[in-house]
Amino acid sequence: MREEKLQWFLIKKFIQILLIVSLAAYGITMFINRMVWPIVLDEFFPEHHGTVMLGGTDILFLVILILFLLLIRALQMFLPVGARESMQWLGEQMQGFFSNLFPQLKTDITVFQMDRTDTFFLFLIVLAIAFVVLLPYLIGAGFFARITIREFRKIQEEREAEEREYDRKRNLMLSDIAHDLRTPMTTVNGYAKALADGMVADEDKQQQYLRAIQNKAFRMNNLINLLFEYVKLDSEGFSLDKKELDLCELLRENAALIYSDAESAGMELEIDIPDERIMLMADSIQLSRVVTNLLTNAIRHNDRGTRIGLILEQDLDDVYVLVADSGEMIPDDQAENLFEPFARGDQSRGTGGGSGLGLSIARKVVEMHGWELKLVQQPAVQRYWKAERYSKAFVVCIRCV
């Protein structure tokens, strides 16, 4: 996207500069035709015939011819007598060609009949004319090059800033991983040491410690598995296994798997999926992970009595999968970074039970499919008419081809 914007920006600037350069070149051409060439021809070729009115390209070509004739004249001075005659013949042939090409500048005086002083001044004047004619193009090219360099430098700076931000987030993620692993490991180590040292004599207390160790070990294992999935999705060798599937059937299957969890949490899971078949190319395993992550996230971070909706809406060729809920809305400062790894408030780290990786994994999978995952809250959620009675919704935007 960034490269495409740069491409159109440079095309627009190139057209603008080209128009300005063309106007400037036209003005210079008119000035040379009306003011310079008559003086030059009257001074150096007093017997020329006709009026002078040349285009910009003609002026450049004429300047090149005159410079070539002057170069032949200069070389003639350093050659032996026999060679001088050959060079003069070549110069006269070139001037004849020059006269046939520009009949309005035809003259009986040749460059080889001028004295050295006139030849020198004619050379300087013609060189100055060539420079003035080319000046708008040189300035335009330099200005365009400056714009291009500036834009590429800006992109380079943005990429460097993104890399620094990536490193910062990576270090933060590693810190969060260490934090989330250290707390249960400390508990496991303490309980295991107490049991090993025989400090817990009561059998019920021993069972309580063993259950705590089991729960903490399960949490650590779950975190490591999620981290493995996150890294695997970001690895170079990973690719989706896309096959044709029925989206409606996949959603119903995942809703059935999560239904008991919603009931245990005291929540109502509402399903609004059409009976028709909606076929698309997708990785069924990874797409199921997205749906279950979003549903689990809704169950884990809302209070008892919350209504959770799994909804599918269609709008022409676009399909929207919504995981909505009636719980409290997420503050804007948290919503901005909600899809970042470990993007949870410190207050929820000890009690929320989540790893902070689920939403990040979900977004990665969705984007790898070429889709979009976003959070919408009231009043924006009313744009989806089936979800307008919920307070917020995670929306997977799919274009079925």
Side-chain angles (χ1 to χ4, degrees):
M1 182 64 69
R2 180 189 300 167
E3 286 74 12
E4 185 177 348
K5 288 182 178 179
L6 175 62
Q7 180 182 3
W8 284 111
F9 173 78
L10 292 179
I11 290 174
K12 182 175 69 175
K13 286 297 180 182
F14 177 78
I15 293 174
Q16 292 174 350
I17 292 172
L18 185 62
L19 290 175
I20 295 173
V21 167
S22 299
L23 290 174
Y26 176 77
I28 291 174
T29 300
M30 294 300 296
F31 175 78
I32 291 175
N33 277 320
R34 296 179 181 277
M35 303 296 297
V36 178
W37 276 125
I39 297 175
V40 172
L41 293 175
D42 288 342
E43 182 66 28
F44 296 97
F45 304 98
E47 298 182 7
H48 72 90
H49 310 289
T51 58
V52 180
M53 188 59 64
L54 303 174
T57 306
D58 293 336
I59 291 176
L60 281 175
F61 191 66
L62 178 61
V63 165
I64 292 172
L65 283 174
I66 293 177
L67 287 175
F68 186 73
L69 288 173
L70 293 173
L71 178 63
I72 293 176
R73 170 70 186 274
L75 291 174
Q76 187 185 22
M77 299 177 184
F78 302 98
L79 295 176
V81 177
R84 288 181 188 178
E85 294 178 355
S86 299
M87 292 297 292
Q88 183 169 348
W89 177 86
L90 177 61
E92 290 174 351
Q93 294 297 316
M94 287 295 301
Q95 186 154 342
F97 172 73
F98 160 80
S99 299
N100 293 330
L101 193 62
F102 302 101
Q104 66 270 42
L105 301 178
K106 189 173 183 180
T107 176
D108 296 332
I109 299 177
T110 67
V111 172
F112 298 92
Q113 295 174 341
M114 297 180 183
D115 57 36
R116 294 183 179 180
T117 303
D118 288 343
T119 303
F120 176 73
F121 280 111
L122 178 60
F123 173 78
L124 293 180
I125 292 171
V126 169
L127 197 62
I129 291 173
F131 176 76
V132 172
V133 170
L134 292 174
L135 187 61
Y137 299 97
L138 296 175
I139 294 176
F143 189 69
F144 183 74
R146 183 178 178 182
I147 292 176
T148 304
I149 292 172
R150 184 189 64 192
E151 292 301 317
F152 274 99
R153 184 177 292 128
K154 187 186 298 183
I155 289 179
Q156 181 65 26
E157 291 173 354
E158 290 176 356
R159 285 178 176 170
E160 291 175 355
E162 289 175 356
E163 289 176 0
R164 289 193 296 270
E165 181 65 13
Y166 175 80
D167 290 338
R168 186 191 69 80
K169 290 180 179 178
R170 182 186 61 184
N171 293 334
L172 180 61
M173 185 178 72
L174 293 174
S175 174
D176 286 335
I177 292 172
H179 181 280
D180 278 21
L181 288 175
R182 181 177 57 190
T183 302
M185 285 182 68
T186 301
T187 303
V188 168
N189 184 56
Y191 285 177
K193 189 175 187 305
L195 292 172
D197 293 345
M199 298 173 60
V200 184
D202 184 70
E203 186 174 342
D204 291 339
K205 199 70 172 177
Q206 290 178 356
Q207 291 298 319
Q208 180 183 347
Y209 276 29
L210 287 172
R211 283 194 296 271
I213 291 173
Q214 184 181 27
N215 290 336
K216 297 298 182 181
F218 176 79
R219 171 167 169 71
M220 287 189 292
N221 184 65
N222 185 52
L223 175 60
I224 291 172
N225 287 336
L226 282 173
L227 182 62
F228 173 74
E229 290 297 331
Y230 179 82
V231 174
K232 183 177 72 174
L233 290 173
D234 207 28
S235 64
E236 186 176 349
F238 180 80
S239 61
L240 297 174
D241 182 19
K242 290 186 178 182
K243 296 179 181 178
E244 189 176 34
L245 56 84
D246 180 4
L247 177 61
C248 296
E249 182 63 25
L250 181 140
L251 294 178
R252 281 190 286 267
E253 290 175 356
N254 284 276
L257 292 173
I258 214 75
Y259 193 84
S260 60
D261 293 339
E263 278 191 334
S264 300
M267 300 180 184
E268 181 182 357
L269 182 58
E270 302 172 340
I271 311 297
D272 192 345
I273 301 171
D275 293 331
E276 62 186 282
R277 290 164 59 89
I278 299 179
M279 307 304 296
L280 52 76
M281 296 297 295
D283 187 322
S284 60
I285 295 177
Q286 298 299 333
L287 186 54
S288 294
R289 177 173 284 114
V290 171
V291 177
T292 54
N293 279 358
L294 294 177
L295 288 171
T296 302
N297 183 75
I299 294 171
R300 181 177 291 136
H301 296 290
N302 286 293
D303 299 328
R304 295 180 68 86
T306 300
R307 290 179 293 104
I308 299 175
L310 179 58
I311 301 167
L312 188 144
E313 279 194 20
Q314 282 186 278
D315 182 12
L316 298 178
D317 291 334
D318 293 328
V319 176
Y320 303 99
V321 176
L322 296 92
V323 176
D325 65 70
S326 60
E328 294 184 4
M329 291 195 294
I330 301 173
D332 292 340
D333 57 339
Q334 295 182 24
E336 290 179 359
N337 302 313
L338 199 60
F339 294 98
E340 298 296 330
F342 295 94
R344 295 179 290 126
D346 290 338
Q347 185 177 2
S348 68
R349 188 172 288 282
T351 59
S355 66
L357 281 171
L359 289 178
S360 183
I361 291 173
R363 169 167 276 189
K364 276 184 175 293
V365 172
V366 169
E367 290 179 347
M368 290 177 72
H369 279 86
W371 307 333
E372 180 186 7
L373 173 61
K374 61 183 178 180
L375 169 68
V376 292
Q377 305 190 91
Q378 288 289 357
V381 74
Q382 296 181 21
R383 177 234 188 275
Y384 307 94
W385 63 275
K386 287 186 178 182
E388 57 186 2
R389 59 197 181 95
Y390 295 95
S391 59
K392 61 182 182 292
F394 288 92
V395 185
V396 180
C397 307
I398 302 172
R399 178 172 292 276
C400 296
V401 180

